[in-house]
Amino acid sequence: MLDLSRLRALHAVQLHGSVGGAAQALGYTPSAVSQQIAKLERETGTTLLQRQGRGIALTDDALMLVRTAQEMLSLAEQAEIALEERKGRPAGRLRLAAFPSGARGLMPRVLAQLAADHPQLDLRMSEVDPHLSVGLVARGEIDLALAHDWDIAPMPAPEGVCSVPLGEDHCEVLVPAGHPLAALDTLETADLAGRRWVCQPPGTVCHDWLHTTLRTAGQEPDVAYYVAEFQTQTALVAAGLGIALLPRLGRGPLPDGVVLRALEPVPTRRLFAVTRDCLLRRPAVRATLRALREAAGAGPSRNAANATDRVV
């Protein structure tokens, strides 16, 4: 009888391309994953991993077992869903992901509400950029992800994954108080030409939006500082080192010396949740979607709301 946990470990190695990547995804140590694979090799009497340069590769036998593992893991998931449906209440483990400002601005109240209302629900969350989290949901590594895209660049959902709209998040430009743009009540795209920017690193949704928008307007963005954390971006703006485009959600209070200016047309992020089609039957997923809708409909967090009051 093949052990499902060992097949899961092999499946994770194939997904992530390494024992270390599999260990991180499963919450194990690399040594524990290696032990699971070694036991599976002994049980099956075949070699599953082989050296390939500095990395490893799965043998043909291992790839056949991975296909079997996918089917078995899918059946196990269906059984878990059916059992939770019979109970009629959220229970068991639910693996969540959220983009950074959503993790800060929405998820604390959502997680606290779910924990209070459903004590049998075991919630786990990772902070993940939307470019990655949608794929994690599609591969079955995450059950539900809070994600976002921009009005000018919608993110398609892979096959078998559904997107549930939650609301919108608007953005403004952060400007040093003594900057020439601070004298304007509302900014237009043309006003941004030749400005030095603080922006999120390449490969993130916010980075792609800024570059796409300015290049569409015939401008090449001058990004001097690539920074992932919004608080660090704000600190750089406060130091007079550039301007930044930040969403309201999870932004936090602004320091002295930084002002917000509205940009027309208003940059809008679409907030949505993604989950696999089959998981919409889970009471835990339905309860989480309700909590996300309520939190998104309530608007930004208190700190973010305080920050938006400073728009002039």
Side-chain angles (χ1 to χ4, degrees), residues 79-89 281 283:
E80 291 170 349
I81 293 171
L83 184 60
E84 189 177 330
E85 279 188 300
R86 287 177 62 86
K87 293 179 179 177
R89 62 182 183 276
R281 293 164 41 207

Side-chain angles (χ1 to χ4, degrees), residues 248 251-254 260 301-311:
R248 295 180 181 180
R251 183 165 55 209
L254 296 180
L260 290 173
S301 64
R302 180 175 298 273
N303 285 341
N306 291 340
T308 60
D309 290 342
R310 301 182 64 169
V311 179

Side-chain angles (χ1 to χ4, degrees), residues 2 6-15 19 36-38 40-41 44-51 56-73:
L2 294 173
R6 290 164 197 163
L7 288 173
R8 189 189 300 272
L10 181 64
H11 181 254
V13 171
Q14 191 272 334
L15 276 179
V19 170
Q36 293 277 43
I37 301 299
L40 188 58
E41 286 183 325
T44 59
T46 186
T47 300
L48 301 175
L49 302 181
Q50 57 189 13
R51 289 286 177 186
I56 58 170
L58 275 68
T59 64
D60 289 342
D61 288 338
L63 292 173
M64 182 275 293
L65 283 177
V66 165
R67 291 191 292 271
T68 301
Q70 290 174 328
E71 295 176 6
M72 294 178 67
L73 291 171

Side-chain angles (χ1 to χ4, degrees), residues 57-278:
L58 275 68
T59 64
D60 289 342
D61 288 338
L63 292 173
M64 182 275 293
L65 283 177
V66 165
R67 291 191 292 271
T68 301
Q70 290 174 328
E71 295 176 6
M72 294 178 67
L73 291 171
S74 177
L75 287 172
E77 182 176 68
Q78 292 296 325
E80 291 170 349
I81 293 171
L83 184 60
E84 189 177 330
E85 279 188 300
R86 287 177 62 86
K87 293 179 179 177
R89 62 182 183 276
R93 178 167 294 187
L94 187 67
R95 302 164 298 172
L96 306 172
F99 60 92
S101 59
R104 182 170 58 251
L106 283 184
M107 292 310 295
R109 75 183 83 166
V110 169
L111 294 172
Q113 177 185 334
L114 290 171
D117 294 345
H118 309 290
Q120 292 185 314
L121 188 57
D122 180 12
L123 296 163
R124 306 297 174 102
M125 189 190 77
S126 301
E127 186 179 286
V128 183
D129 191 78
H131 279 312
L132 301 175
S133 64
V134 175
L136 293 175
V137 170
R139 295 195 298 271
E141 298 175 61
I142 293 294
D143 299 316
L144 184 148
L146 173 64
H148 72 85
D149 58 16
W150 293 89
D151 48 357
I152 65 169
M155 184 183 300
E159 183 179 356
V161 173
C162 64
S163 174
V164 181
L166 299 174
E168 292 183 344
D169 185 23
H170 293 176
C171 304
E172 290 100 10
V173 180
L174 266 65
V175 181
H179 195 280
L181 293 181
L184 302 176
D185 292 332
T186 302
L187 305 180
E188 298 179 358
T189 305
D191 298 321
L192 307 180
R195 309 299 180 182
R196 177 163 286 201
W197 285 88
V198 182
C199 179
Q200 286 194 308
T204 60
V205 177
C206 292
H207 171 278
D208 293 350
W209 182 92
L210 178 65
H211 283 70
T212 299
T213 298
L214 294 187
R215 285 171 179 167
T216 300
Q219 305 175 22
E220 185 62 30
D222 178 14
V223 180
Y225 308 100
Y226 288 103
V227 178
E229 275 289 331
F230 287 160
Q231 289 180 332
T232 306
Q233 291 185 34
T234 303
L236 292 173
V237 173
L241 297 172
I243 64 175
L245 183 77
L246 263 66
R248 295 180 181 180
L249 182 61
R251 183 165 55 209
L254 296 180
D256 293 336
V258 176
V259 296
L260 290 173
R261 291 296 178 265
L263 180 61
E264 293 291 345
V266 179
T268 301
R269 299 197 303 180
R270 184 176 68 104
L271 304 179
F272 57 96
V274 290
T275 188
R276 293 184 296 286
D277 294 337
C278 62

